Amino acid sequence: MSLHSSNSLSFEYYLVSAFSNRPFGGNPAVVAFLDPNETSENILAEVAATFKQPMTAFLSNEPSSGADVTVKRFSVRYFTAEREASLCIHATLAAAKTIFQTARLGEEVKLLEFVTKTHGVITARKVSDNPESWIEVELIRGDIAEVADTEKKRITDIVNEAFGKPLTIHHVAKGLGMYGHCLLIEVDEKDDIKNCQVSTKLGKETGYSINAITAQSTTGNEHFASRVFVPLDSLGGEDHVCGSAHALLGPYWATKQAISDGEEIRAIHVGRRGGDLRIFLVHGQPKLRIRGEATTIASGIFSF
């Protein structure tokens, strides 16, 4: 709820770590119940810059799309500490976790619809009625295309310099359509991407805003591992866990490892904070589902 007067503004907020059951794991997001349609963009940007978290999701209730009382709809806009983002899956998961956990819409609500500014409606639901249930977000799957040889060499040089050693690069592909800002780079599992110090140049020099470095998992518990590098200084050059990148990574590894339709694809993020994801897809279908846990760290009232 937000309170407006000529001199003040107050709203509830929650700080949530998405894709982890640990307070200091996964990817943090602020969930702010401040109407993004009625609040100026300057204020939204200032609030997000004040929180200085990887992402802040601003939410407000909208009329539901039908008579089904188990479905509720929200408007959402996403801001980093530096700029507005068109879509953020980890912040959407954090928002869904907060809404379900606080039962602010009643226990009967099972499905949430998030109306984004440019990417239509993203849905989220609880996997079970357990209060600690994983949250499942449905979104458009990402298709990829292999880059040209000259582009592959350019990117390979940037990656090797950023990692400080030559990596065995198996594949370089770019996202298509709404994922055109994404780059997928598969390296050999022996390159041990988890324990490498990586320069911020990887996120800044490729020309892509999401740079997913991925390898087959070495633990035997997951299908693949990844780290994601971005140009944002506020994130230190690395995204803690990127849900959008997994819209490409899931289909890529499902094809590469011949994973059956509907089978659980287990993914692990091996950056500093770690993260666990589960992906479900059917080959040929336009959408996929990403599941993750989320942990509430803090809550309060923001007033100014």
Side-chain angles (χ1 to χ4, degrees):
M1 177 182 295
S2 59
L3 304 174
H4 294 263
S5 75
S6 59
N7 299 314
S8 67
L9 174 67
S10 298
F11 60 88
E12 292 179 77
Y13 73 87
Y14 295 79
L15 178 59
V16 181
S17 281
F19 296 118
S20 179
N21 60 7
R22 299 183 296 109
F24 304 115
N27 202 349
V30 172
V31 180
F33 289 94
L34 175 63
D35 192 336
N37 300 317
E38 299 294 330
T39 307
S40 74
E41 190 168 305
N42 286 341
I43 290 179
L44 298 177
E46 289 286 357
V47 170
T50 300
F51 280 123
K52 210 170 184 179
Q53 292 300 311
M55 194 67 70
T56 298
F58 294 98
L59 303 175
S60 67
N61 290 86
E62 274 203 357
S64 296
S65 56
D68 190 346
V69 296
T70 67
V71 180
K72 295 297 180 183
R73 176 169 281 207
F74 286 81
S75 288
V76 60
R77 287 177 71 178
Y78 310 96
F79 283 76
T80 71
E82 297 174 2
R83 63 177 72 104
E84 184 170 11
S86 60
L87 181 65
C88 180
I89 301 307
H90 94 265
T92 304
L93 188 145
K97 172 71 173 185
T98 299
I99 293 165
F100 285 130
Q101 189 174 52
T102 58
R104 58 193 307 118
L105 298 177
E107 296 289 347
E108 72 276 7
V109 176
K110 305 298 181 184
L111 181 72
L112 301 175
E113 297 177 332
F114 294 97
V115 183
T116 68
K117 186 177 178 181
T118 58
H119 290 300
V121 177
I122 305 295
T123 61
R125 68 178 184 90
K126 287 195 298 183
V127 175
S128 74
D129 289 330
N130 186 315
E132 301 305 317
S133 170
W134 287 47
I135 303 295
E136 181 176 275
V137 179
E138 184 178 76
L139 67 156
I140 300 294
R141 64 179 288 164
D143 293 321
I144 59 173
E146 191 166 1
V147 302
D149 288 343
T150 53
E151 178 72 345
K152 181 176 181 179
K153 182 183 184 307
R154 182 185 73 85
I155 291 168
T156 296
D157 290 344
I158 293 171
V159 171
N160 287 342
E161 186 174 348
F163 273 80
K165 64 178 183 179
L167 303 184
T168 303
I169 295 179
H170 295 307
H171 198 76
V172 180
K174 60 182 179 181
L176 300 177
M178 64 180 281
Y179 296 105
H181 60 296
C182 299
L183 188 66
L184 184 156
I185 304 165
E186 184 199 349
V187 303
D188 196 86
E189 61 267 28
K190 294 179 182 178
D191 285 323
D192 189 21
I193 61 174
K194 178 179 180 179
N195 295 306
C196 293
Q197 294 289 327
V198 184
S199 164
T200 58
K201 73 176 288 142
L202 201 165
K204 292 182 175 181
E205 296 187 7
T206 64
Y208 295 84
S209 58
I210 292 178
N211 300 270
I213 307 294
T214 186
Q216 184 168 306
S217 176
T218 59
T219 68
N221 297 319
E222 298 86 22
H223 291 96
F224 68 90
S226 67
R227 291 174 69 178
V228 176
F229 300 90
V230 296
L232 294 178
D233 290 328
S234 60
L235 296 181
E238 183 167 2
D239 197 318
H240 298 303
V241 188
C242 180
S244 296
H246 286 79
L248 282 71
L249 291 167
Y252 175 77
W253 284 104
T255 299
K256 188 176 180 70
Q257 298 184 2
I259 299 171
S260 301
D261 286 351
E263 183 181 345
E264 180 181 77
I265 304 168
R266 300 182 304 278
I268 184 171
H269 183 87
V270 293
R272 179 176 60 84
R273 292 175 62 98
D276 295 292
L277 306 90
R278 303 291 183 265
I279 305 162
F280 298 84
L281 58 85
V282 174
H283 294 280
Q285 293 296 312
K287 292 187 176 183
L288 52 71
R289 295 170 288 131
I290 296 178
R291 289 181 184 176
E293 296 176 277
T295 303
T296 303
I297 303 170
S299 62
I301 302 295
F302 188 107
S303 302
F304 65 95

